[in-house]
Amino acid sequence: MTALDRPAAGQALRPWQDPALPVGERVDALLAEMTVEEKVAQLGSRWEGNTMGEPVSAPDPGDGGTGNVAPLQDVFAASNTSPFQEAVRHGIGHLTRVHGSRPVSPAEGAAEVVRLQREVIAQSRLGIPALVHEECLTGFTTYGATVYPAAIAWAATFDPELVARMGAAIGRDMRALGVHQGLAPVLDVVRDYRWGRVEETMGEDPYLVSMIGSAYVRGLEGAGVIATLKHFAGYSASRAARNHGPVPMGRRELMDMILPPFESAIELGGARSVMNSYSDVDGVPAAIDPWLLTEVLRDDWGFTGTVVSDYWSIPFLATMHLVAADAGEAGVQALTAGLDVELPDTLGFGQHLAERVRRGELPEELIDRAVRRLLTQKAQLGLLDPDWTPQSSVTGAETVELDSQANRELARELAERSVVLLDAGSALPLLGEGRTAPRRIAVVGPCADDPRTFMGCYAFPNHVLPRYPGLGLGIDAPSVLDALRAELPGAEIAYERGCDVRDGDRSGFAAAAAAARDADLCVVVVGDLAGMFGQGTSGEGCDADDLRLPGVQEDLVTELAATGTPVVVVVVSGRPYALGEIHPRAAGLVQAFMPGEEGGAAIAGVLSGRVQPGGRLPVQIPRTPGGQPHTYLQPPLGADSDGISNLDPTPLFPFGYGTSYTSFELGEFRISDTEVPTDGEFTVSVRVRNTGARAGDEVVQLYLHDMLAQVTRPVRQLAGFARVRLEPGAAADVRFRVHADRTAFTGRDLQRIVEPGDIEVLAGTSARDLPCAGTVRLTGPLRAVGHDRRLFTPVDVHPAGDRD
């Protein structure tokens, strides 16, 4: 009988089994019982039954006949070299992606979780169960589960509470099937739109990422699933936006632009895990950076959870970064820096660590430090309780509906709120008041009849199912073409693909142009198809040379516009593309950031006018495909600089922009105080009124500008926002409570400070549309601030005239 079996009647509990004792006492008691080999085993993981590197039955062109998960097959092949029973003979920390590696039903996945947990308990002396982790970037990444919009679309909603509801729904489904930890959200702040993983991010502004990301974490953690913050830190700022590329970033930019979302998700969201970045920042890989993993994360922020490695990032220290002689040496460096658990398999944190401890080469205290953090989470999750069994961890397997009606309704709400109407033009809405609905519509484009284009690279249909071409998508996901036929039953709709997403074949142009000429209106749907490591135009390892639409899609739009038929352009993508050549030719322009399985109906509803568009841009839309700094967070010399350079960085559409089928007006701007101390607070109030004929949402945005500082500061930076729904003619007062801490920045000595001086306060509907402005002077001494500073701006919305 193992130590964690249910005690017999009258048998005393071991101290670590006793739920009545404080968690810390239970963990200390268990640590005292463990050998060094058993401790080391808790720091590793196992990806049992993983076949993602084996040849697929029908490889995609250029795939080379292999799977699409591991970028380096030599490291991949080094995993799982021993039988499972041998690998867990001292225990194991994590089980990797039991549900998410191949198509399994909930019952099959749950049965495998039970089988593996029973083996872990039976084969090891102490029988400590493993944590089970899965991906959940666009929902639970498993067969048949709801595919929600990608994270870039969450940000386009500017609606944290809606995202929190989604996080809770994902967490409930995962928990029902024995999953303890989710590898999401991605909190990387976009610095270059060419990066393939833009789709996984929540945009280019650290405050927006902080608020949306913290909300997702609250939802997931509230459902009992540990949220894992990715990728700590700097990954999104690689040189030339190349995946895994070096990050030439100074510490000040890292502290002001990259780290705040992680800090906020820990403090405001309650995240209990962090995953390191693959990248090196100024030459130091994140996995071995004690400043990042210990000084900042632990000492400054007080984080007490676990740091887990990104997949194979420890052996990558030897094979890619060349800062360690081998995986074993890499493991020592990572453990010393503050990394606790190795995923997805055990290569660097193997039993060689125990041997080094016995030889006096590695302090056992470092092992204990990491193991204590992991065992604390196992105790918190109930895995050490006497009544825990493998079967009890999957009690929802018989009843869970992974794509339930409630999930789909939530996915639909997110999709509808995320679609951004860039320009209604002359054609939208198709069923607008006083407008005759088009009788004949040509629907064209590579994204028009392929719902995979709605889904991110970590959605199961794009992530795993390409290796199983006979299984379809595993869910119902109507395309834009399907949805338009349902939306407009009286219209005659013809379809032509025109071209593929990324190749150069123009042979379909003629048929597409002919269909457009025969129609009253043409809807062309262009954009991305997500994949992994070069197998898509967006996604991990799918970086872009420039920001032209992939392949010959822009040429297709040009051909269609030349027919003389009005052309509505819908861009379904994971990153923003340069639309400066397309916009003048479009009779309507819509941006949808990978809106998930309900994306087709959401787009069709926006086009018809049934859905009032309310999405706002979490990234700018460039005018030209190159030569721009790519985000709005630029100091004066990063903006248009009056002839200093011949390159104009002005975007086509700015951050925060979006329009609708009604109109809004902002006014009655008030700032409570013109002077406040550097530890004080002021209130900003602005009235927003719906001046149109339809109900709709406006996102009221507050920006700050430090007018004179000891280091260069952004021309403007988002400091607060509120999504406000108003009936026609109705108005609301939006009030932001702004603490002086919200002006803090990293000074010349790399200390975060609040500096006295003038702060310009601006309110509006995008980073460019800011009709309301005033100034507040911060007075008193320069003030150093730390993790205890105010991280967010509270906002209240009241009916106009209610001043209570």
Side-chain angles (χ1 to χ4, degrees):
M1 185 178 76
T2 66
L4 288 180
D5 281 336
R6 184 190 300 271
Q11 180 180 341
L13 296 177
R14 302 290 186 97
W16 59 82
Q17 294 177 310
D18 189 351
L21 292 178
V23 167
E25 290 186 21
R26 297 174 69 186
V27 170
D28 286 343
L30 183 52
L31 269 174
E33 181 74 16
M34 299 172 75
T35 66
V36 66
E37 286 82 7
E38 289 167 337
K39 293 175 183 178
V40 167
Q42 290 296 310
L43 307 184
S45 59
R46 175 75 173 199
W47 197 347
E48 181 67 6
N50 174 30
T51 60
M52 287 189 175
E54 296 179 2
V56 300
S57 56
D60 288 336
D63 191 26
T66 62
N68 61 355
V69 171
L72 294 179
Q73 295 301 313
D74 56 344
V75 172
F76 187 91
S79 304
N80 290 4
T81 56
S82 61
F84 184 74
Q85 291 80 3
E86 174 65 20
V88 301
R89 67 189 180 95
H90 295 299
I92 198 74
H94 275 242
L95 294 174
T96 296
R97 298 187 63 182
V98 180
H99 294 276
S101 299
R102 57 189 178 89
V104 294
S105 69
E108 290 169 333
E112 183 67 357
V113 168
V114 170
R115 184 186 74 82
L116 294 175
Q117 290 282 30
R118 284 176 173 165
E119 287 281 1
V120 170
I121 292 171
Q123 296 297 325
S124 55
R125 181 178 71 94
L126 293 174
I128 304 170
L131 287 185
V132 179
H133 75 259
E134 297 283 351
E135 296 283 2
C136 53
L137 286 164
T138 63
F140 185 4
T141 303
T142 190
Y143 184 64
T146 304
V147 177
Y148 294 93
I152 192 71
W154 310 348
T157 70
F158 276 73
D159 193 337
E161 293 312 310
L162 178 58
V163 172
R165 285 166 48 202
M166 178 194 65
I170 294 169
R172 286 192 296 269
D173 287 346
M174 296 172 73
R175 200 72 173 95
L177 294 178
V179 179
H180 307 104
Q181 184 161 340
L183 304 187
V186 170
L187 296 182
D188 296 299
V189 177
V190 174
R191 302 302 283 168
D192 191 323
Y193 306 145
R194 295 173 299 173
W195 190 47
R197 304 190 79 164
V198 167
E199 64 170 61
E200 300 176 40
T201 76
M202 287 165 262
E204 66 185 62
D205 180 88
Y207 185 70
L208 178 62
V209 178
S210 295
M211 294 299 100
I212 299 294
S214 295
Y216 178 86
V217 169
R218 284 199 309 274
L220 200 67
E221 290 275 359
V225 174
I226 295 172
T228 306
L229 311 181
K230 307 194 299 191
H231 304 88
F232 194 66
Y235 189 21
S236 58
S238 58
R239 185 176 279 121
R242 186 176 180 275
N243 192 41
H244 290 212
V247 177
M249 176 183 286
R251 191 161 284 185
R252 181 177 296 105
E253 182 179 356
L254 188 75
M255 294 171 71
D256 284 351
M257 294 296 167
I258 302 299
L259 295 186
F262 294 92
E263 184 178 9
S264 296
I266 291 167
E267 180 68 20
L268 305 178
R272 288 181 284 170
S273 187
V274 170
M275 176 180 280
N276 73 282
S277 163
Y278 285 124
S279 296
D280 69 83
V281 177
D282 196 24
V284 181
I288 56 170
D289 188 350
W291 173 80
L292 186 66
L293 300 184
T294 297
E295 292 181 34
V296 171
L297 183 63
R298 306 287 186 181
D299 300 340
D300 294 348
W301 297 355
F303 179 67
T304 59
T306 55
V307 177
V308 300
S309 77
D310 204 343
Y311 282 16
W312 298 292
S313 63
I314 292 178
F316 284 174
L317 293 167
T319 61
M320 293 173 59
H321 291 290
L322 304 183
V323 295
D326 52 33
E329 176 59 31
V332 171
Q333 291 191 42
L335 181 70
T336 302
L339 205 151
D340 302 314
V341 180
E342 182 179 12
L343 305 181
D345 281 302
T346 308
L347 296 177
F349 278 5
Q351 285 301 320
H352 70 90
L353 293 179
E355 297 166 9
R356 291 170 190 254
V357 169
R358 296 194 187 285
R359 294 198 300 264
E361 300 170 0
L362 180 68
E364 189 169 357
E365 290 79 9
L366 291 179
I367 305 289
D368 289 349
R369 180 181 71 175
V371 176
R372 179 175 283 106
R373 293 164 182 166
L374 179 65
L375 292 179
T376 296
Q377 293 185 340
K378 291 189 175 185
Q380 291 170 339
L381 291 164
L383 272 65
L384 304 186
D385 292 355
D387 59 350
W388 186 94
T389 65
Q391 191 62 46
S392 70
S393 71
V394 295
T395 54
E398 298 301 321
T399 57
V400 66
E401 294 183 60
L402 292 180
D403 195 26
S404 67
Q405 186 60 36
N407 283 3
R408 294 193 69 96
E409 289 175 0
L410 184 54
R412 173 191 52 77
E413 189 175 357
L414 278 152
E416 290 181 352
R417 292 197 182 195
S418 70
V419 176
V420 184
L421 178 64
L422 297 176
D423 191 345
S426 60
L428 298 179
L430 301 180
L431 304 182
E433 184 177 350
R435 176 176 287 131
T436 301
R439 185 174 62 86
R440 296 174 302 171
I441 301 175
V443 178
V444 176
C447 301
D449 196 30
D450 187 352
R452 294 179 303 159
T453 62
F454 301 157
M455 304 173 190
C457 73
Y458 272 85
F460 199 83
N462 285 339
H463 193 67
V464 175
L465 287 181
R467 303 181 60 253
Y468 302 87
L471 292 180
L473 298 179
I475 51 173
D476 180 26
S479 67
V480 173
L481 177 63
D482 296 330
L484 278 173
R485 284 175 171 156
E487 189 82 23
L488 306 169
E492 178 186 329
I493 296 180
Y495 165 69
E496 291 290 343
R497 184 173 178 83
C499 65
D500 289 332
V501 168
R502 63 176 180 168
D503 68 24
D505 185 2
R506 290 174 165 81
S507 61
F509 279 22
R517 279 191 294 270
D518 289 342
D520 303 316
L521 177 80
C522 177
V523 175
V524 57
V525 190
V526 294
D528 281 320
L529 176 59
M532 298 282 288
F533 306 113
Q535 299 308 304
T537 59
S538 177
E540 185 172 359
C542 298
D543 311 314
D545 290 335
D546 58 35
L547 295 174
R548 293 178 178 88
L549 282 168
V552 293
Q553 294 182 80
E554 184 172 320
D555 296 340
L556 174 64
V557 175
T558 301
E559 289 276 333
L560 296 172
T563 66
T565 299
V567 177
V568 172
V569 180
V570 179
V571 182
V572 180
S573 64
R575 64 164 64 84
Y577 285 105
L579 303 179
E581 294 296 319
I582 288 175
H583 182 218
R585 301 186 174 110
L589 187 57
V590 172
Q591 172 69 57
F593 291 108
M594 292 187 174
E597 66 181 35
E598 289 286 338
I603 292 168
V606 167
L607 295 180
S608 73
R610 173 180 57 83
V611 174
Q612 172 70 287
R616 299 296 182 265
L617 290 174
V619 287
Q620 299 185 124
I621 300 294
R623 187 179 303 275
T624 59
Q628 303 177 51
H630 298 317
T631 85
Y632 88 101
L633 286 170
Q634 299 295 326
L637 288 180
D640 189 15
S641 44
D642 296 327
I644 291 176
S645 170
N646 63 304
L647 298 178
D648 181 0
T650 305
L652 181 63
F653 296 103
F655 173 86
Y657 176 84
T659 186
S660 68
Y661 298 136
T662 189
S663 57
F664 295 90
E665 182 180 89
L666 269 62
E668 299 192 36
F669 180 71
R670 300 180 182 87
I671 302 177
S672 62
D673 301 277
T674 57
E675 290 190 4
V676 297
T678 52
D679 61 354
E681 183 178 277
F682 58 93
T683 299
V684 179
S685 177
V686 62
R687 180 166 294 179
V688 55
R689 184 180 302 278
N690 185 342
T691 57
R694 290 187 56 175
D697 293 6
E698 181 58 276
V699 178
V700 179
Q701 301 163 43
L702 180 73
Y703 293 82
L704 301 179
H705 170 217
D706 194 336
M707 300 175 72
L708 181 66
Q710 61 177 256
V711 297
T712 60
R713 300 288 294 134
V715 172
R716 61 188 61 87
Q717 186 165 357
L718 184 71
F721 61 88
R723 187 173 179 122
V724 183
R725 181 162 185 81
L726 292 171
E727 296 297 319
D733 291 324
V734 182
R735 300 174 200 159
F736 301 94
R737 298 202 324 270
V738 186
H739 195 276
D741 287 356
R742 300 292 295 117
T743 71
F745 63 92
T746 303
R748 294 184 186 180
D749 61 358
L750 297 182
Q751 298 299 307
R752 193 178 300 277
I753 59 173
V754 176
E755 193 176 43
D758 289 342
I759 303 294
E760 187 179 18
V761 181
L762 308 106
T765 55
S766 79
R768 186 169 64 196
D769 303 299
L770 298 166
C772 304
T775 303
V776 172
R777 174 162 293 176
L778 301 182
T779 61
L782 182 147
R783 180 170 150 261
V785 295
H787 178 62
D788 59 349
R789 72 190 186 283
R790 309 293 175 88
L791 296 173
F792 73 104
T793 303
V795 57
D796 300 306
V797 179
H798 300 277
D802 179 2
R803 298 292 177 185
D804 293 338

